[in-house]
Amino acid sequence: MSKFLDRAFTVALVSAALALPAIAGDSTRMKGVESASVPSGEGAGEHFGLGREATQEEIAAWNIDVRPDGEGLPEGSGTVARGEEIFTEQCAVCHGDFGEGRDRWPQLAGGFDTLTRERPVKTVGSYWPYLSTVYDYVHRAMPFGNSQSLSNDDVYALAAYILYLNDIETDEDFELSKKNFTTITMPNAGEFVADNRAEEQHYKDDRDPCMKDCKSGPVEVTMHAQVLDVTPDAGGEEGPGGGNVD
Amino acid sequence: MDSESTSGRDGTAKAKADHGGASRRSFLKSTLALGGAGLAGTAGIRAAQAAGDPLITEIQDWNRYLGVGVDAAPYGMPSEFEKDVVRRSVPWLTADATSSVNFTPLHALDGIITPNGLCFERHHGGVAVIPPQDHRLMIHGLVDKPLVFTMEDLQRFPRENRVYFLECAANSGMEWRGAQLNGCQYTHGMVHCVMYTGTPLKHLLNEAGVKTAGKWLLAEGADASTMTRSIPMEKALEDCMVVWKMNGEALRPEQGYPVRLVVPGWEGNMWVKWLRRLEVGDAPWEQREETSKYTDLLADGKARKFTWAMEVKSVITNPSPQAPITHGRGRTVITGLAWSGNGTIKRVDVSIDGGRNWQTARLDGPSLSKAVHRFYHDFDWDGSELYLQSRAMDEQGFVQPTKNELRAARGTNSIYHNNGIQTWYLKADGALENVEVS
């Protein structure tokens, strides 16, 4: 099967395993070289002399991302106790004192063993695969409405506290730092799989779709949207939680 | 449509103290009123025809008096009679309007190009307001020379124009468990399709010189969510673009002004708006938007990650719950949209009997890869109840599945990537409803 979905998800695997040809790093090497991974066309491989070199200070100011292997972690540390103070002050108003989530704001803790239930509760503890994402996301985008106001130590402390709220760390004196960061394994880390949609039965069949007398019996309505009555036009206010967009 | 019955559809739904049954009744009433108005209108025209239609036999104001001059609207807006063709939101879907979504009014549009002001919005930290002269785009990481570009720099790269659909990964996500929202604006309106002008991303990467180890790209926005996604280098070089114009004019602020990333065929979340940084690396970053979000939980508790491509999909946009049939029986045009992240749409079939029998619809307009396609099915409606469905096939041979086929494969908690076949129940009075059928 050479369908695109196949190709899309194998990109990750293939590119991890094989060295792609040099993309453009060396323009002299690229000249006249035909490569499947470098699209041809006007300007491919060409240099235009546009832009200017970024300074190290500029890169440092924007390059705050952290990877699962710890690449990008800054120097610093923070304890569970310190994290609790910051969380109470800056986070609990939306996320609740115990990360339970107020109103419709995201729940950060709990929900263990709910992923196969009818209503899964996906939290940092029950769902997130990597602690690096906690550090990275809190640092870049929280508190909501006041992004990038937390120091590196604050973020270590908050990450430690979120681990504590999820019973991943049970010691109140636990201190998270750049040094011990990658020793933490999240409970759901191994539960993510590559995109294999193309292998689903309805695609694998590769059938010519039925055109005539495809089903027998009269059409029966199994569900009405109007019964749920949640479309804004219909005056409904509360969703039944049938799905969401996050 | 009379304004009375449409005014309740402006999306500002008043919070009703006593909703439930009462509001359902009022909705049904307004739906019936709509159908009634249509019939009365037809009857009125017939009566008038005997003596001559006064709209013809009497001189109308617009025929006698001057209209406004050319200075009245330096930037024009749609006719006042189209004021109901607007984006709408569903407040209960999200905790806050700044990290939320609204919907394109697909039921009222035609062709394949979405007007800029109607393109659905999805923000995670509201709309960033960035003076273009203050915007910078940085490329760094595994490159020979890290670079900073101004907007002026970007616009000196060779330009290309491409029409692509952008579909939110969560489009139709609220329908995984069953029919929930009544109108294709709500069930399918997290999609738009415009012509982008910009430069291929490969030009920018060439300029910096990607090192051999550079297999992944992190794209980051300048907004308060500092949105980030990991993109495989092969896709970045294949057809991604850095764009500053949509449908000929500057990007709208809510679409990433002054510059956004275009990732053709792939989930909308990756089309980073207010694009400020591209980092080249040797592994994905596993950001919040590709771990906590935009991963698809399956029935066995495992979750798919990096489900980038949007699958083959279609929907009948008119008639639909927000666009009932008001002309009575007789000649009817069914129209809708089909699209696929795999390329062009090869064929769209339409059923009026809930999938028992299908007829191939007529595709009209440009057929562009990874853009929406417009289809029509013309037929005589005999006034009976029908169950309307559309089923798209793409150039790779993928056939749009039923919702039940999707559920059999994935369960009901995937949130994203619901491309199942939609059913509209057409009633004898011309009203339609979002339903699921056996």
Side-chain angles (χ1 to χ4, degrees):
Chain A
M1 194 175 221
S2 65
K3 288 175 177 176
F4 185 82
L5 279 172
D6 247 353
R7 205 150 66 85
F9 73 76
T10 50
V11 164
L13 310 172
V14 171
S15 63
L18 303 173
L20 290 175
I23 286 140
D26 182 342
S27 60
T28 54
R29 195 145 49 97
M30 288 307 298
K31 264 177 197 149
V33 174
E34 285 298 323
S35 160
S37 69
V38 179
S40 58
E42 198 192 342
E46 204 178 313
H47 279 229
F48 300 97
L50 295 168
R52 56 139 179 108
E53 189 153 0
T55 70
Q56 288 312 303
E57 290 74 18
E58 288 172 334
I59 294 170
W62 279 4
N63 181 21
I64 59 168
D65 47 72
V66 180
R67 292 198 317 204
D69 60 5
E71 198 251 46
L73 278 173
E75 295 300 331
S77 63
T79 60
V80 169
R82 176 69 188 130
E84 183 174 10
E85 284 172 32
I86 303 166
F87 194 89
T88 305
E89 238 171 65
Q90 304 221 37
C91 317
V93 62
C94 294
H95 293 296
D97 287 334
F98 305 100
E100 76 278 16
R102 293 206 175 135
D103 302 326
R104 291 185 58 84
W105 296 102
Q107 182 173 341
L108 304 183
F112 289 101
D113 302 320
T114 65
L115 297 185
T116 55
R117 291 195 196 156
E118 198 191 337
R119 306 277 170 172
V121 180
K122 298 193 288 183
T123 71
V124 173
S126 70
Y127 191 67
W128 289 35
Y130 305 111
L131 184 61
S132 57
T133 314
V134 178
Y135 191 100
D136 177 286
Y137 183 69
V138 171
H139 190 202
R140 77 171 53 245
M142 290 289 132
F144 194 62
N146 192 21
S147 301
Q148 298 186 33
S149 58
L150 297 165
S151 73
N152 293 338
D153 287 344
D154 288 347
V155 182
Y156 276 112
L158 282 171
Y161 186 60
I162 292 169
L163 289 176
Y164 182 77
L165 287 177
N166 279 291
D167 297 325
I168 295 166
E169 280 301 332
T170 50
D171 181 358
E172 285 179 52
D173 298 325
F174 174 72
E175 182 180 69
L176 186 66
S177 68
K178 184 181 179 183
K179 268 195 192 69
N180 65 3
F181 194 94
T182 55
T183 65
I184 311 280
T185 302
M186 302 298 278
N188 200 46
E191 302 303 306
F192 290 79
V193 297
D195 182 358
N196 54 359
R197 284 175 288 170
E199 296 306 309
E200 290 177 344
Q201 199 57 47
H202 51 269
Y203 290 135
K204 240 165 63 178
D205 284 351
D206 229 353
R207 68 210 192 276
D208 250 356
C210 172
M211 296 298 286
K212 265 184 84 81
D213 303 323
C214 305
K215 288 175 194 168
S216 57
V219 180
E220 271 177 52
V221 173
T222 55
M223 190 175 281
H224 291 266
Q226 285 183 1
V227 170
L228 282 165
D229 192 20
V230 290
T231 310
D233 295 348
E237 295 167 60
E238 290 301 319
N244 58 50
V245 299
D246 339 275
Chain B
M1 288 202 217
D2 66 294
S3 61
E4 191 62 42
S5 57
T6 53
S7 64
R9 322 182 139 235
D10 64 6
T12 58
K14 298 151 240 134
K16 292 187 180 176
D18 173 27
H19 65 296
S23 63
R24 185 186 164 213
R25 276 193 302 279
S26 65
F27 177 73
L28 289 172
K29 218 174 104 194
S30 74
T31 309
L32 290 172
L34 252 186
L39 293 175
T42 310
I45 289 164
R46 290 210 182 98
Q49 276 166 354
D53 184 347
L55 285 167
I56 298 171
T57 59
E58 294 170 14
I59 295 170
Q60 303 297 310
D61 284 354
W62 55 85
N63 188 210
R64 186 184 303 272
Y65 306 115
L66 300 175
V68 300
V70 294
D71 296 328
Y75 195 113
M77 294 292 285
S79 160
E80 62 184 284
F81 307 109
E82 299 296 321
K83 67 181 187 323
D84 296 313
V85 183
V86 290
R87 295 185 284 226
R88 293 184 174 85
S89 67
V90 179
W92 58 257
L93 279 177
T94 52
D96 184 276
T98 54
S99 181
S100 193
V101 67
N102 64 18
F103 302 89
T104 307
L106 299 179
H107 61 290
L109 303 179
D110 216 318
I112 68 165
I113 298 293
T114 315
N116 287 340
L118 296 177
C119 288
F120 85 95
E121 303 168 61
R122 174 47 163 142
H123 319 303
H124 293 74
V127 178
V129 176
I130 305 175
Q133 68 274 16
D134 293 347
H135 191 73
R136 299 290 180 270
L137 174 57
M138 181 188 291
I139 299 185
H140 71 102
L142 296 177
V143 295
D144 295 335
K145 186 180 176 186
L147 293 173
V148 171
F149 299 105
T150 62
M151 285 306 300
E152 194 179 39
D153 294 333
L154 293 178
Q155 292 169 16
R156 293 168 68 194
F157 280 95
R159 285 177 219 170
E160 290 183 0
N161 294 290
R162 293 285 184 276
V163 176
Y164 291 122
F165 76 80
L166 185 171
E167 184 184 16
C168 180
N171 199 21
S172 316
M174 297 81 78
E175 306 287 307
W176 269 107
R177 283 208 179 81
Q180 179 163 260
L181 291 165
N182 218 20
C184 68
Q185 177 166 20
Y186 303 105
T187 56
H188 290 74
M190 286 190 245
V191 66
H192 56 67
C193 185
V194 304
M195 176 177 278
Y196 294 100
T197 306
T199 196
L201 178 54
K202 68 181 180 204
H203 288 334
L204 272 55
L205 293 169
N206 281 341
E207 206 67 12
V210 175
K211 292 182 187 297
T212 318
K215 306 297 193 301
W216 289 83
L217 193 64
L218 185 76
E220 179 180 275
D223 62 312
S225 77
T226 332
M227 170 67 62
T228 36
R229 283 297 300 259
S230 303
I231 299 168
M233 188 59 72
E234 181 173 296
K235 177 67 174 177
L237 294 173
E238 183 193 10
D239 59 0
C240 288
M241 294 175 77
V242 171
V243 306
W244 48 87
K245 282 192 157 50
M246 57 193 289
N247 289 336
E249 64 176 0
L251 292 175
R252 291 294 170 92
E254 65 270 25
Q255 303 297 340
Y257 181 86
V259 62
R260 88 174 306 167
L261 192 64
V262 163
V263 190
W266 286 18
E267 59 188 16
N269 181 259
M270 305 176 82
W271 298 47
V272 174
K273 298 188 282 191
W274 312 289
L275 182 70
R276 77 166 190 183
R277 190 169 70 97
L278 295 164
E279 180 177 357
V280 178
D282 59 2
W285 283 261
E286 306 280 1
Q287 294 281 290
R288 186 252 200 179
E289 305 291 324
E290 53 207 20
T291 55
S292 170
K293 309 301 176 190
Y294 307 97
T295 52
D296 314 344
L297 185 59
L298 302 171
D300 64 1
K302 302 232 180 237
R304 288 181 177 138
K305 67 174 186 176
F306 299 148
T307 46
W308 297 309
M310 299 307 293
E311 296 160 79
V312 61
K313 188 167 179 178
S314 69
V315 64
I316 292 171
T317 54
N318 194 318
S320 62
Q322 296 160 288
I325 294 181
T326 55
H327 56 61
R329 61 190 61 188
R331 202 66 182 163
T332 300
V333 175
I334 290 178
T335 188
L337 294 170
W339 61 95
S340 169
N342 302 320
T344 57
I345 291 295
K346 186 163 66 181
R347 198 176 99 195
V348 178
D349 300 325
V350 168
S351 171
I352 59 173
D353 59 5
R356 270 66 185 162
N357 296 282
W358 297 85
Q359 281 185 285
T360 297
R362 178 168 58 85
L363 291 173
D364 188 85
S367 171
L368 301 168
S369 184
K370 302 170 189 174
V372 300
H373 292 56
R374 173 62 60 178
F375 68 85
Y376 297 98
H377 177 64
D378 310 282
F379 80 113
D380 283 318
W381 181 41
D382 64 5
S384 63
E385 296 189 347
L386 301 177
Y387 296 91
L388 310 180
Q389 298 183 338
S390 63
R391 178 181 68 192
M393 290 172 62
D394 67 30
E395 65 174 310
Q396 302 277 344
F398 283 100
V399 180
Q400 186 181 2
T402 65
K403 290 183 183 176
N404 284 334
E405 284 172 328
L406 282 178
R407 289 176 189 131
R410 307 179 190 175
T412 56
N413 285 318
S414 278
I415 298 180
Y416 310 106
H417 296 288
N418 181 353
N419 65 326
I421 289 172
Q422 174 66 46
T423 308
W424 304 130
Y425 168 35
L426 170 61
K427 298 170 203 175
D429 65 2
L432 291 99
E433 192 192 341
N434 174 13
V435 296
E436 299 229 0
V437 295
S438 59

